[in-house]
Amino acid sequence: EFNAQHKVNSNNRSIIPSEIINSKPKKVYTNYIYPMVLDKNSIIALKKGFNHRGSLVLLNKQGEQKLWDIDANGRVHCNRKTVTWSNTTPDIRWPERTFSDIIVLNLETGHRKKITHKQKYFAPALSPDNSKIASIEYNEKLECALIIIDATNSKELLRFNSKPGTMLRNPSWNK
């Protein structure tokens, strides 16, 4: 049954032509992850490599423009002119304890804001209107939940606890 369905799905796919927009040779291994289309000519991505921790870059036919150095501990999500990611910060007193808080960056103004404090949030995703953020939260018992928070004041709006033994990964919004 699976093979038949796979064949039907494969026959209904069309290949979208693509164009390499950054063909500059690299001297060091470089990885562009979480690419997101800003407009028909621009892509924003997280650039990581052996020689740097990570930076948010804009890629277009003119080349590559570094926007911001970031220390993302997972997925970076972009919704037009706003980017969000989670950032790991160590506890000052207890070195074995870390936190993962959500950062929001406005690409137009360059304003960067840490909207949560001492939380364990991962893989944030902005809602289409930028008013809410869906994220995964882990507690000390490694139980996870999908949470929806207000993007302006970081108040929790909704919580969906996962079943025991399950793991949530990358939330997304349906337009």
Side-chain angles (χ1 to χ4, degrees):
E1 181 181 329
F2 175 76
N3 287 337
Q5 185 61 41
H6 179 69
K7 211 173 224 183
V8 169
N9 289 344
S10 295
N11 291 337
N12 291 334
R13 289 189 186 139
S14 61
I15 296 175
I16 300 170
S18 62
E19 175 184 349
I20 296 174
I21 60 171
N22 185 6
S23 58
K24 182 179 170 187
K26 307 287 186 268
K27 295 178 183 175
V28 177
Y29 173 80
T30 305
N31 194 5
Y32 294 86
I33 53 178
Y34 310 115
M36 298 150 284
V37 176
L38 283 183
D39 56 45
K40 68 178 188 170
N41 298 315
S42 303
I43 295 173
I44 193 167
L46 176 60
K47 178 183 176 181
K48 286 190 169 190
F50 291 138
N51 62 345
H52 62 283
R53 290 176 60 177
S55 53
L56 203 56
V57 294
L58 178 69
L59 303 165
N60 55 33
K61 290 184 180 185
Q62 287 75 40
E64 176 181 312
Q65 176 188 355
K66 181 177 167 183
L67 300 175
W68 208 279
D69 285 324
I70 66 172
D71 185 21
N73 63 10
R75 181 178 73 172
V76 174
H77 186 262
C78 180
N79 192 7
R80 305 244 186 249
K81 300 295 181 188
T82 306
V83 182
T84 188
W85 66 91
S86 58
N87 193 60
T88 302
T89 51
D91 187 302
I92 294 171
R93 183 169 182 190
W94 308 106
E96 298 300 318
R97 184 167 73 169
T98 61
F99 303 103
S100 181
D101 289 303
I102 296 174
I103 310 294
V104 176
L105 171 66
N106 182 318
L107 293 174
E108 291 178 332
T109 64
H111 183 255
R112 177 178 164 167
K113 183 178 180 185
K114 180 178 177 181
I115 66 165
T116 61
H117 184 67
K118 292 191 175 182
Q119 300 296 322
K120 297 255 186 197
Y121 293 152
F122 298 91
L126 288 158
S127 64
D129 65 356
N130 289 343
S131 67
K132 299 176 199 73
I133 297 174
S135 187
I136 305 301
E137 177 192 52
Y138 283 89
N139 64 20
E140 290 79 20
K141 297 176 186 174
L142 296 180
E143 299 165 331
C144 64
L146 170 65
I147 60 155
I148 309 295
I149 62 173
D150 186 297
T152 55
N153 61 21
S154 74
K155 290 195 176 166
E156 187 176 304
L157 303 173
L158 290 170
R159 170 180 291 272
F160 303 96
N161 293 318
S162 68
K163 294 179 183 176
T166 60
M167 186 173 101
L168 304 175
R169 299 261 329 236
N170 291 313
S172 62
W173 294 88
N174 185 2
K175 295 180 183 184

